[in-house]
């Protein structure tokens, strides 16, 4: 059963990786697999544009604007201290009206090499601010499991199972980026003449690429824990309750795990079959949305619609379904459709 989950997790991850942020983008040359001079110049211009966006957004105290600036700054090297991800996300959490999304992104303000992730202060704040969010308790479960705190991890699972929702705040990050990216027009040297989507196509790549770097709980750890429940009726019950919440979660990854848990743990064969069919439709939805995103650099009208959806807020899952609906793509897979194989 885990093999199927791994495949779906990889498929869902495509939706996060299809539009890389400028700071990590590479352009292959025609012969040696290295960026050609034009691509190198364009990448340099795009990075400069991203720095300029941060500089324009950084002043002021609007929490959504500061979140957008922090997300834009996160992949950039050698930022001035005042325009660094660390300082901007700190200011976003301190701004009047700041929500849990800023603290969620602050989870990434940590030193992975020192085994200091996620950011402990941000996690503690989220536990107090968003106790009804299963995603927060799953993050704590991961941290407690790494620290070999088995009793605490079991309690975390119970808290996650009792939570009312699952939200990783990717929708808010998309909204922050989509409302921020238009504060400056992209210079001509940032645009690839081979992609007719122009400025709006480039902005869409930037927005969806950066929003795809949200902190995430280790959902595979949760899957393993629940699969190994054995004859422990209380763990099975908590995993089934958590699965129901995940099925209505904010991200395709959360929904995939929720459906997997129902398919694995439900006593009713009809419920198992229904979950399996829903997972197939989920793969269809994710792959269809991935294909839409891949067209954005070449289709200005489509890119504009995707940016408008991001600005409207919601969750990553609701945004993807809205994008499919707006483009006449059904949410249910055709009867003869088969998912692409993943290694």
């Amino acid at each position: 059963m885990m093999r199927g989950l791994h495949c779906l997790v990889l498929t869902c991850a495509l939706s996060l990786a299809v539009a890389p942020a400028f700071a990590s983008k590479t352009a292959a040359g025609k012969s040696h697999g290295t960026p050609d001079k034009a691509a190198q110049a364009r990448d340099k211009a795009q990075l400069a544009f991203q720095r300029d966006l941060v500089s324009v957004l950084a002043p002021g105290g609007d929490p959504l604007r500061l979140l957008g600036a922090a997300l834009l700054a996160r992949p950039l090297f050698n930022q001035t201290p005042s325009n660094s991800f660390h300082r901007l996300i700190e200011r976003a959490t301190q701004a009047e009206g700041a929500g849990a999304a800023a603290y969620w992104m602050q989870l990434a303000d940590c030193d992975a090499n020192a085994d200091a992730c996620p950011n402990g202060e941000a996690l503690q704040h989220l536990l107090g601010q968003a106790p009804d969010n299963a995603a927060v308790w799953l993050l704590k479960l991961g941290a407690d499991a790494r620290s070999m705190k088995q009793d605490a991890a079991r309690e975390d699972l119970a808290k996650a199972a009792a939570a009312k929702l699952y939200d990783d705040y990717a929708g808010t990050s998309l909204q922050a980026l989509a409302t921020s990216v238009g504060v400056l027009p992209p210079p001509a040297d940032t645009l690839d003449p081979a992609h007719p989507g122009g400025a709006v196509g480039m902005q869409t790549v930037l927005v969806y690429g950066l929003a795809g770097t949200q902190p995430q709980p280790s959902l595979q750890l949760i899957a393993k824990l629940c699969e190994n429940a054995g004859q422990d009726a209380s763990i099975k019950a908590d995993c089934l309750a958590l699965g129901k919440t995940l099925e209505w979660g904010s991200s395709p990854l959360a929904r995939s795990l929720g459906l997997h848990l129902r398919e694995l743990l439900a006593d009713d064969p009809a419920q198992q079959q229904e979950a399996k069919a829903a997972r197939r439709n989920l793969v269809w939805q994710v792959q269809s949305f991935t294909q839409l995103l891949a067209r954005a650099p070449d289709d200005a009208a489509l890119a504009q619609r995707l940016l408008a959806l991001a600005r409207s807020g919601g969750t990553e899952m609701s945004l993807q379904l809205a994008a499919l609906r707006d483009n006449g793509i059904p949410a249910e897979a055709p009867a003869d459709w088969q998912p692409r194989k993943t290694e």
Side-chain angles (χ1 to χ4, degrees):
M1 294 296 289
M2 272 300 288
R3 180 177 178 82
L5 178 64
H6 287 158
C7 290
L8 186 50
V9 166
L10 289 171
T11 302
C12 290
L14 291 175
S15 70
L16 305 179
V18 67
F22 293 153
S24 61
K25 190 172 70 171
T26 59
K30 293 182 179 179
S31 58
H32 302 293
T34 56
D36 60 29
K37 290 184 178 179
Q40 288 179 330
R42 189 162 51 249
D43 287 347
K44 185 177 180 180
Q46 290 173 344
L47 285 168
F49 172 62
Q50 196 167 329
R51 293 184 194 279
D52 289 344
L53 284 172
V54 173
S55 297
V56 171
L57 291 164
D62 179 76
L64 197 66
R65 186 181 176 104
L66 286 169
L67 176 59
L71 288 160
L72 286 160
R74 185 182 172 199
L76 298 176
F77 295 101
N78 301 320
Q79 284 289 91
T80 60
S82 61
N83 282 357
S84 67
F85 170 69
H86 168 74
R87 180 58 183 142
L88 290 168
I89 198 62
E90 182 180 58
R91 288 179 54 208
T93 62
Q94 295 170 352
E96 184 178 354
Y103 287 96
W104 184 271
M105 203 63 226
Q106 195 180 36
L107 292 166
D109 185 21
C110 56
D111 184 356
N113 293 327
D115 197 25
C117 291
N119 182 300
E121 291 185 10
L123 179 54
Q124 287 302 313
H125 188 96
L126 284 165
L127 290 170
Q129 185 177 9
D132 286 332
N133 186 352
V136 175
W137 291 106
L138 295 184
L139 274 171
K140 185 173 183 295
L141 189 157
D144 286 336
R146 287 192 299 273
S147 300
M148 305 299 289
K149 298 178 181 177
Q150 295 183 2
D151 290 343
R154 177 65 187 92
E155 185 178 346
D156 298 335
L157 176 63
K159 293 285 184 64
K164 296 179 179 178
L165 56 87
Y166 177 100
D167 192 355
D168 67 3
Y169 305 104
T172 305
S173 288
L174 276 165
Q175 186 180 32
L177 285 161
T179 55
S180 298
V181 75
V183 297
L184 288 176
D189 58 356
T190 64
L191 306 180
D192 186 347
H195 292 296
V200 69
M202 185 267 283
Q203 290 169 330
T204 303
V205 168
L206 177 59
V207 166
Y208 282 88
L210 288 175
T213 62
Q214 287 286 113
Q216 289 274 349
S218 179
L219 297 183
Q220 292 191 39
L221 171 66
I222 312 307
K224 184 176 180 180
L225 187 157
C226 290
E227 287 172 337
N228 293 335
Q231 301 302 313
D232 191 321
S234 68
I235 292 181
K236 180 179 177 181
D238 281 347
C239 288
L240 280 168
L242 173 62
K244 290 180 180 179
T245 301
L246 292 174
E247 285 191 39
W248 296 99
S250 65
S251 73
L253 289 173
R255 179 162 167 74
S256 72
L257 177 55
L259 291 168
H260 170 70
L261 293 178
R262 174 150 60 105
E263 186 180 353
L264 177 69
L265 299 175
D267 294 324
D268 183 357
Q271 284 290 314
Q272 296 176 354
Q273 190 59 36
E274 182 181 297
K276 183 177 180 180
R279 290 181 68 205
R280 178 176 176 273
N281 286 332
L282 178 63
V283 178
W284 160 261
Q285 293 159 12
V286 169
Q287 290 188 359
S288 298
F289 183 74
T290 296
Q291 291 166 6
L292 284 178
L293 274 180
R295 285 169 41 201
D298 299 313
D299 187 335
L302 171 61
Q304 190 63 63
R305 291 197 299 272
L306 291 173
L307 278 182
L309 278 173
R311 291 190 190 103
S312 68
T315 67
E316 181 187 7
M317 195 71 243
S318 67
L319 185 152
Q320 290 195 13
L321 291 172
L324 298 185
R325 183 174 59 251
D326 289 353
N327 287 276
I329 301 172
E332 294 187 359
D336 59 350
W337 177 83
Q338 293 297 325
R340 289 198 306 265
K341 298 295 183 181
T342 56
E343 297 298 330

